[in-house]
Amino acid sequence: MDLQLIQTSKLYDSINRNSKNLRKNIVLLSYIRAINKDTFEIELVQKRCVDRRIFTGRYVLPDIKRGHYSLLFNKLTFTCEGLIEALPELKLDYHFLQDILKKGSQYILGKPAVFVSFNTITKFYRSDIDQIQTPIIMVKEYTREELKNIDNIKELCSEGRGRDELFNEENILKEDYSPVIDGNTGEVIYRFTKTSFVEENLSDRIIEYKLNERDYEKIKSGQNYLSWEW
């Protein structure tokens, strides 16, 4: 398996530029990187239709430029043996992975870099149930007030992290760098992703009544959406 080392920022620029060409619902391994002497971080990316918006009176307009599809990302950590076991179809080379671990964190011109993959992932071995299953990146969306009242935060927080992580700025859903607002409450929306499995038949938790911050401010000022630019 031949992996190319590139700056993280260039990786995401490339993914966003080519998002229209990504096949829907296909899970890809975007990168592999060493986070300590015996642990890898990998990231999965998937293009899914999760952002459908509801039309109600003068409110929400659809994001017609993207056709309602979103790019979803989720990070996972593995030991060398665990990574090889979890992704059997990639036939990862043990010695090559060990070499990545020995090199440790990578930088190009002083900026973080990762080993890019872009291999399709259709099989994921789950050691907890001893089965091969089909990965999918699931979404849960909450307003800040809803997050305050969540009892079980383990599914949303990274291992060993607490409630404060929920309100991290990086968890706020954005559109062109502008926060996305719940059209009912006026609160910003926090989005969390998790790698799950098709066979579990789980459902996303989506706030469908969405506005970007700019349109929400227009509504508050009494402007009619019919005069907005499509």
Side-chain angles (χ1 to χ4, degrees):
M1 185 177 182
D2 188 22
L3 300 179
Q4 180 186 3
L5 183 68
I6 70 169
Q7 289 180 347
T8 309
S9 57
K10 290 186 177 181
L11 167 63
Y12 291 119
D13 286 345
S14 176
I15 292 175
N16 286 321
R17 281 198 314 271
N18 295 288
S19 60
K20 290 183 180 180
N21 299 323
L22 293 178
R23 292 171 58 194
K24 295 173 289 191
N25 302 322
I26 300 299
V27 176
L28 299 172
L29 172 63
S30 58
Y31 73 69
I32 297 175
R33 75 181 183 101
I35 57 175
N36 59 43
K37 64 179 182 180
D38 57 11
T39 307
F40 293 99
E41 176 183 85
I42 69 169
E43 182 178 68
L44 303 182
V45 58
Q46 186 178 29
K47 181 179 178 180
R48 286 187 58 219
C49 180
V50 297
D51 235 358
R52 265 186 26 197
R53 301 182 182 187
I54 293 175
F55 294 83
T56 306
R58 58 189 287 175
Y59 288 98
V60 180
L61 291 177
D63 183 355
I64 56 176
K65 292 183 294 182
R66 297 184 184 177
H68 303 308
Y69 286 94
S70 294
L71 288 180
L72 305 176
F73 299 85
N74 191 242
K75 295 180 175 66
L76 299 169
T77 58
F78 293 95
T79 62
C80 186
E81 293 80 0
L83 181 57
I84 293 171
E85 181 181 63
L87 306 178
E89 64 192 313
L90 296 189
K91 297 180 173 58
L92 295 166
D93 183 82
Y94 176 83
H95 297 291
F96 178 69
L97 293 178
Q98 283 294 314
D99 189 49
I100 292 178
L101 288 176
K102 289 177 182 177
K103 290 178 180 177
S105 298
Q106 297 290 296
Y107 295 87
I108 297 178
L109 300 177
K111 296 184 178 180
V114 292
F115 288 94
V116 177
S117 168
F118 284 116
N119 281 274
T120 300
I121 306 296
T122 63
K123 300 176 182 178
F124 194 110
Y125 174 70
R126 296 185 58 188
S127 58
D128 57 329
I129 59 174
D130 190 26
Q131 285 186 14
I132 295 284
Q133 293 195 335
T134 309
I136 181 173
I137 300 178
M138 304 296 297
V139 172
K140 290 184 183 293
E141 293 179 348
Y142 300 90
T143 64
R144 187 177 184 87
E145 197 60 35
E146 287 175 328
L147 284 178
K148 290 179 180 178
N149 297 317
I150 287 181
D151 293 324
N152 184 6
I153 65 172
K154 290 183 179 179
E155 289 192 357
L156 302 181
C157 289
S158 301
E159 186 175 348
R161 303 295 294 275
R163 185 173 290 275
D164 288 346
E165 185 188 358
L166 296 179
F167 303 102
N168 189 312
E169 184 78 14
E170 293 182 0
N171 294 333
I172 294 177
L173 181 60
K174 295 181 176 67
E175 183 178 71
D176 296 330
Y177 304 102
S178 178
V180 175
I181 308 298
D182 182 335
N184 285 311
T185 67
E187 297 179 87
V188 296
I189 295 171
Y190 291 78
R191 172 177 283 184
F192 303 88
T193 58
K194 180 181 180 181
T195 299
S196 187
F197 303 94
V198 172
E199 290 79 4
E200 293 182 321
N201 293 313
L202 300 177
S203 298
D204 300 299
R205 186 188 194 275
I206 297 296
I207 297 173
E208 291 187 309
Y209 194 10
K210 292 184 177 79
L211 295 160
N212 63 42
E213 189 176 47
R214 179 183 64 255
D215 291 347
Y216 181 73
E217 291 302 322
K218 287 182 178 180
I219 288 171
K220 283 177 61 179
S221 67
Q223 294 186 43
N224 191 308
Y225 83 89
L226 292 177
S227 66
W228 296 356
E229 183 177 329
W230 287 68

